[in-house]
Amino acid sequence: MAATGGRTTAARVSAALGTGARRTALLAGMGLSAGLAAAAYGWWEKDQFTLREETLRVLPAGSRPLRVLHLSDIHFVPGQAAKARWLAGLADLEPDLVVNTGDNLSHTGAVPPLLTALRPLLRFPGVFVPGSNDYYAPTLRNPASYLVGPSSRTPLPRKIALDWPALFAGFGEAGWINLTNRSQSVPLNGVRLDFSGVDDPHLGRERYAEWPRGASGHDEKPHLKVAVIHAPYQRVLDHFADAGAQLILAGHTHGGQLCIPGYGALVSNCDLPTWRAKGLTDWENSGRTVPLNVSGGIGTSRFAPVRIACRPEAVLLTLLGA
Ligand SMILES: [Fe+2]
């Protein structure tokens, strides 16, 4: 009986091992299939461009509405025909102003085709600040590093310069205003928009230009103080809230890019809480509350060309009188 029992036990162990091996193989196969399905879905979603519309009562009482088109993180690569068509078509919105919060490029040859795609929008007044992906091309990294902290903490293997002077010249020739550590006023529809912008905080390059200064009585004229940032690090948001900003526009986060449906972003790629990684929220500091719009971005890094539960977006902000 013992021998029989021994054989039975051995047979059971063998069968169990066989079952375990099959189960492992089955689970591995299912995991691989799910991963491939998610990648295929994310590849599709990255081109499902959307327009998010928001309304804010931030203008002085009695002001006419202002329509501001907020673009960010285009990450253009030559050959992105669908993205180029969609960008050009945004001109049909006929915004009063375009605000571009950086990361326009993702390839050394991207400037000419991007300026062509943006040409219809360059007919409108615009302001811009740069992101790190206007200065340097993306590099292939361990994707897991993105999940453990801001990408600025990961040393770049080799910096590949992008042609940001040509990009900024193209914007400038169209009349778009460079707000890289600069401030400037723009009169629109009877309201003076006072802009203050910074170079990319993700690179630690922000220097504050404060607000534009005009004649005496400047502050009594109808105006709106708008801060323009690429990466919405908390130190920069706090600074502008303290400085009296009445609206803050930022990008950089890609809305988390790879999100969990029903939950949201897992990362913001900076120290912004993930629940603020995309959308319109209130930033509070020292008793001041400022509306903060963080764009979910239009593109992706060319080395991670997928989006999940986070469609690429432009944002049309309609500003109304309070
Ligand atoms: Fe970006």
Side-chain angles (χ1 to χ4, degrees):
M1 290 298 289
T4 303
R7 282 198 301 274
T8 301
T9 301
R12 283 177 181 162
V13 168
S14 172
L17 281 173
T19 302
R22 281 197 299 275
R23 188 175 297 152
T24 301
L26 184 62
L27 288 173
M30 289 170 65
L32 183 62
S33 299
L36 289 173
Y41 175 82
W43 175 265
W44 172 82
E45 185 173 312
K46 76 172 176 27
D47 290 328
Q48 303 309 301
F49 303 104
T50 58
L51 181 72
R52 174 161 59 90
E53 297 191 57
E54 307 281 4
T55 301
L56 296 94
R57 291 194 173 276
V58 291
L59 293 177
S63 300
R64 281 178 280 158
L66 271 180
R67 299 167 82 238
V68 177
L69 181 64
H70 181 187
L71 309 177
S72 199
D73 297 85
I74 297 172
H75 287 276
F76 202 80
V77 173
Q80 290 182 325
K83 185 188 285 184
R85 277 195 304 275
W86 179 74
L87 285 169
L90 290 172
D92 293 344
L93 296 169
E94 301 204 331
D96 297 300
L97 176 80
V98 179
V99 176
N100 181 325
T101 48
D103 268 14
N104 290 278
L105 310 173
S106 204
H107 189 281
T108 52
V111 173
L114 175 62
L115 288 174
T116 299
L118 289 177
R119 188 173 296 144
L121 282 172
L122 290 168
R123 291 189 290 116
F124 302 99
V127 299
F128 65 96
V129 291
S132 59
N133 281 263
D134 294 306
Y135 294 124
Y136 304 112
T139 50
L140 190 58
R141 306 181 193 202
N142 177 357
S145 65
Y146 183 71
L147 294 172
V148 299
S151 54
S152 58
R153 291 184 198 157
T154 311
L156 287 169
R158 181 169 63 93
K159 286 188 176 181
I160 301 168
L162 292 170
D163 195 2
W164 60 268
L167 179 70
F168 291 9
F171 288 169
E173 284 167 13
W176 283 16
I177 295 166
N178 186 344
L179 294 174
T180 307
N181 295 335
R182 289 187 67 245
S183 63
Q184 189 160 332
S185 291
V186 178
L188 277 175
N189 283 7
V191 176
R192 197 188 70 228
L193 298 182
D194 289 342
F195 288 104
S196 187
V198 288
D199 204 346
D200 189 5
H202 198 56
L203 298 174
R205 294 186 178 188
E206 76 274 17
R207 305 288 180 271
Y208 300 108
E210 305 309 335
W211 302 109
R213 293 193 187 125
S216 62
H218 190 76
D219 272 345
E220 280 70 56
K221 298 279 171 55
H223 68 280
L224 181 77
K225 290 178 175 158
V226 185
V228 185
I229 310 166
H230 177 63
Y233 279 84
Q234 294 189 31
R235 66 180 187 275
V236 185
L237 300 176
D238 284 347
H239 171 89
F240 279 119
D242 279 351
Q246 296 162 294
L247 175 63
I248 305 176
L249 303 177
H252 174 72
T253 63
H254 297 192
Q257 193 170 319
L258 303 177
C259 298
I260 304 293
Y263 175 80
L266 297 173
V267 294
S268 68
N269 199 21
C270 62
D271 62 0
L272 194 68
T274 53
W275 64 272
R276 293 184 189 268
K278 179 176 75 171
L280 186 63
T281 61
D282 284 332
W283 187 258
E284 296 172 7
N285 189 47
S286 304
R288 289 178 181 269
T289 301
V290 190
L292 164 67
N293 186 59
V294 177
S295 167
I298 293 167
T300 66
S301 164
R302 63 190 266 228
F303 294 117
V306 287
R307 281 179 174 261
I308 294 178
C310 186
R311 296 195 172 193
E313 66 170 16
V315 189
L316 185 64
L317 301 159
T318 300
L319 311 184
L320 302 175

mmCIF file of all heavy atoms in Angstrom, residues 72-75 102-103 132-133 230 251-254 269 299-301, ligand 1:
data_model
loop_
_atom_site.group_PDB
_atom_site.id
_atom_site.type_symbol
_atom_site.label_atom_id
_atom_site.label_comp_id
_atom_site.label_asym_id
_atom_site.label_seq_id
_atom_site.Cartn_x
_atom_site.Cartn_y
_atom_site.Cartn_z
ATOM 1 N N SER A 72 -0.502 72.263 -26.086
ATOM 2 C CA SER A 72 0.697 71.863 -25.348
ATOM 3 C C SER A 72 1.178 70.494 -25.796
ATOM 4 O O SER A 72 0.394 69.658 -26.254
ATOM 5 C CB SER A 72 0.386 71.818 -23.835
ATOM 6 O OG SER A 72 1.587 71.870 -23.098
ATOM 7 N N ASP A 73 2.487 70.296 -25.669
ATOM 8 C CA ASP A 73 3.081 68.959 -25.830
ATOM 9 C C ASP A 73 2.692 68.296 -27.159
ATOM 10 O O ASP A 73 2.284 67.146 -27.192
ATOM 11 C CB ASP A 73 2.687 68.076 -24.637
ATOM 12 C CG ASP A 73 3.222 68.624 -23.336
ATOM 13 O OD1 ASP A 73 2.546 69.504 -22.745
ATOM 14 O OD2 ASP A 73 4.316 68.217 -22.916
ATOM 15 N N ILE A 74 2.871 69.061 -28.232
ATOM 16 C CA ILE A 74 2.557 68.506 -29.559
ATOM 17 C C ILE A 74 3.526 67.368 -29.897
ATOM 18 O O ILE A 74 3.164 66.387 -30.531
ATOM 19 C CB ILE A 74 2.616 69.621 -30.624
ATOM 20 C CG1 ILE A 74 1.540 70.681 -30.318
ATOM 21 C CG2 ILE A 74 2.429 69.056 -32.016
ATOM 22 C CD1 ILE A 74 1.636 71.923 -31.190
ATOM 23 N N HIS A 75 4.773 67.495 -29.490
ATOM 24 C CA HIS A 75 5.788 66.445 -29.722
ATOM 25 C C HIS A 75 5.768 65.981 -31.180
ATOM 26 O O HIS A 75 5.648 64.786 -31.476
ATOM 27 C CB HIS A 75 5.568 65.252 -28.785
ATOM 28 C CG HIS A 75 5.949 65.532 -27.367
ATOM 29 N ND1 HIS A 75 7.238 65.419 -26.907
ATOM 30 C CD2 HIS A 75 5.203 65.925 -26.305
ATOM 31 C CE1 HIS A 75 7.273 65.738 -25.621
ATOM 32 N NE2 HIS A 75 6.044 66.045 -25.226
ATOM 33 N N GLY A 102 4.551 74.642 -24.802
ATOM 34 C CA GLY A 102 5.832 73.966 -24.985
ATOM 35 C C GLY A 102 5.811 72.482 -25.290
ATOM 36 O O GLY A 102 4.769 71.852 -25.393
ATOM 37 N N ASP A 103 7.033 71.935 -25.460
ATOM 38 C CA ASP A 103 7.230 70.551 -25.916
ATOM 39 C C ASP A 103 6.595 70.358 -27.291
ATOM 40 O O ASP A 103 5.792 69.451 -27.507
ATOM 41 C CB ASP A 103 6.674 69.530 -24.915
ATOM 42 C CG ASP A 103 7.727 69.077 -23.909
ATOM 43 O OD1 ASP A 103 8.784 69.728 -23.814
ATOM 44 O OD2 ASP A 103 7.481 68.063 -23.205
ATOM 45 N N SER A 132 11.209 71.242 -22.265
ATOM 46 C CA SER A 132 12.506 70.593 -22.497
ATOM 47 C C SER A 132 12.563 69.951 -23.877
ATOM 48 O O SER A 132 13.621 69.868 -24.495
ATOM 49 C CB SER A 132 12.777 69.549 -21.406
ATOM 50 O OG SER A 132 11.753 68.580 -21.396
ATOM 51 N N ASN A 133 11.402 69.504 -24.392
ATOM 52 C CA ASN A 133 11.370 68.875 -25.711
ATOM 53 C C ASN A 133 11.237 69.884 -26.845
ATOM 54 O O ASN A 133 10.817 69.543 -27.948
ATOM 55 C CB ASN A 133 10.253 67.830 -25.779
ATOM 56 C CG ASN A 133 10.661 66.532 -25.116
ATOM 57 O OD1 ASN A 133 11.090 65.580 -25.753
ATOM 58 N ND2 ASN A 133 10.555 66.503 -23.791
ATOM 59 N N HIS A 230 5.556 75.705 -18.711
ATOM 60 C CA HIS A 230 5.497 74.345 -19.271
ATOM 61 C C HIS A 230 5.199 73.347 -18.140
ATOM 62 O O HIS A 230 4.090 72.874 -18.017
ATOM 63 C CB HIS A 230 6.792 73.974 -20.002
ATOM 64 C CG HIS A 230 6.745 72.566 -20.504
ATOM 65 N ND1 HIS A 230 5.827 72.159 -21.446
ATOM 66 C CD2 HIS A 230 7.438 71.453 -20.143
ATOM 67 C CE1 HIS A 230 5.970 70.853 -21.671
ATOM 68 N NE2 HIS A 230 6.941 70.400 -20.890
ATOM 69 N N GLY A 251 1.382 72.719 -19.054
ATOM 70 C CA GLY A 251 1.284 71.459 -19.799
ATOM 71 C C GLY A 251 2.164 70.410 -19.136
ATOM 72 O O GLY A 251 2.101 70.208 -17.930
ATOM 73 N N HIS A 252 2.961 69.709 -19.950
ATOM 74 C CA HIS A 252 4.023 68.820 -19.495
ATOM 75 C C HIS A 252 3.570 67.433 -19.031
ATOM 76 O O HIS A 252 4.250 66.452 -19.294
ATOM 77 C CB HIS A 252 4.831 69.487 -18.380
ATOM 78 C CG HIS A 252 5.860 68.620 -17.745
ATOM 79 N ND1 HIS A 252 7.021 68.256 -18.386
ATOM 80 C CD2 HIS A 252 5.905 68.015 -16.524
ATOM 81 C CE1 HIS A 252 7.746 67.487 -17.591
ATOM 82 N NE2 HIS A 252 7.084 67.315 -16.460
ATOM 83 N N THR A 253 2.467 67.348 -18.334
ATOM 84 C CA THR A 253 2.096 66.088 -17.672
ATOM 85 C C THR A 253 1.613 65.020 -18.637
ATOM 86 O O THR A 253 1.606 63.837 -18.292
ATOM 87 C CB THR A 253 0.969 66.328 -16.666
ATOM 88 O OG1 THR A 253 -0.191 66.779 -17.403
ATOM 89 C CG2 THR A 253 1.331 67.388 -15.638
ATOM 90 N N HIS A 254 1.159 65.422 -19.820
ATOM 91 C CA HIS A 254 0.478 64.522 -20.767
ATOM 92 C C HIS A 254 -0.747 63.887 -20.119
ATOM 93 O O HIS A 254 -1.195 62.822 -20.553
ATOM 94 C CB HIS A 254 1.414 63.421 -21.282
ATOM 95 C CG HIS A 254 2.585 63.933 -22.057
ATOM 96 N ND1 HIS A 254 3.406 63.103 -22.801
ATOM 97 C CD2 HIS A 254 3.097 65.190 -22.210
ATOM 98 C CE1 HIS A 254 4.367 63.826 -23.370
ATOM 99 N NE2 HIS A 254 4.199 65.094 -23.024
ATOM 100 N N ASN A 269 4.788 63.256 -13.862
ATOM 101 C CA ASN A 269 6.131 63.584 -14.352
ATOM 102 C C ASN A 269 6.664 64.883 -13.738
ATOM 103 O O ASN A 269 7.504 65.560 -14.331
ATOM 104 C CB ASN A 269 6.166 63.646 -15.881
ATOM 105 C CG ASN A 269 7.581 63.520 -16.432
ATOM 106 O OD1 ASN A 269 8.477 63.017 -15.761
ATOM 107 N ND2 ASN A 269 7.799 64.004 -17.641
ATOM 108 N N GLY A 299 0.571 65.207 -27.903
ATOM 109 C CA GLY A 299 1.411 64.134 -28.408
ATOM 110 C C GLY A 299 1.918 63.217 -27.308
ATOM 111 O O GLY A 299 1.395 63.189 -26.188
ATOM 112 N N THR A 300 2.948 62.496 -27.678
ATOM 113 C CA THR A 300 3.618 61.578 -26.753
ATOM 114 C C THR A 300 5.106 61.623 -27.097
ATOM 115 O O THR A 300 5.482 62.100 -28.166
ATOM 116 C CB THR A 300 3.152 60.120 -26.957
ATOM 117 O OG1 THR A 300 3.585 59.692 -28.265
ATOM 118 C CG2 THR A 300 1.642 59.983 -26.856
ATOM 119 N N SER A 301 5.910 61.097 -26.208
ATOM 120 C CA SER A 301 7.295 60.867 -26.604
ATOM 121 C C SER A 301 7.291 59.894 -27.777
ATOM 122 O O SER A 301 6.479 58.962 -27.820
ATOM 123 C CB SER A 301 8.097 60.267 -25.449
ATOM 124 O OG SER A 301 9.301 59.715 -25.963
HETATM 125 FE FE FE B 1 5.725 66.738 -23.167
#
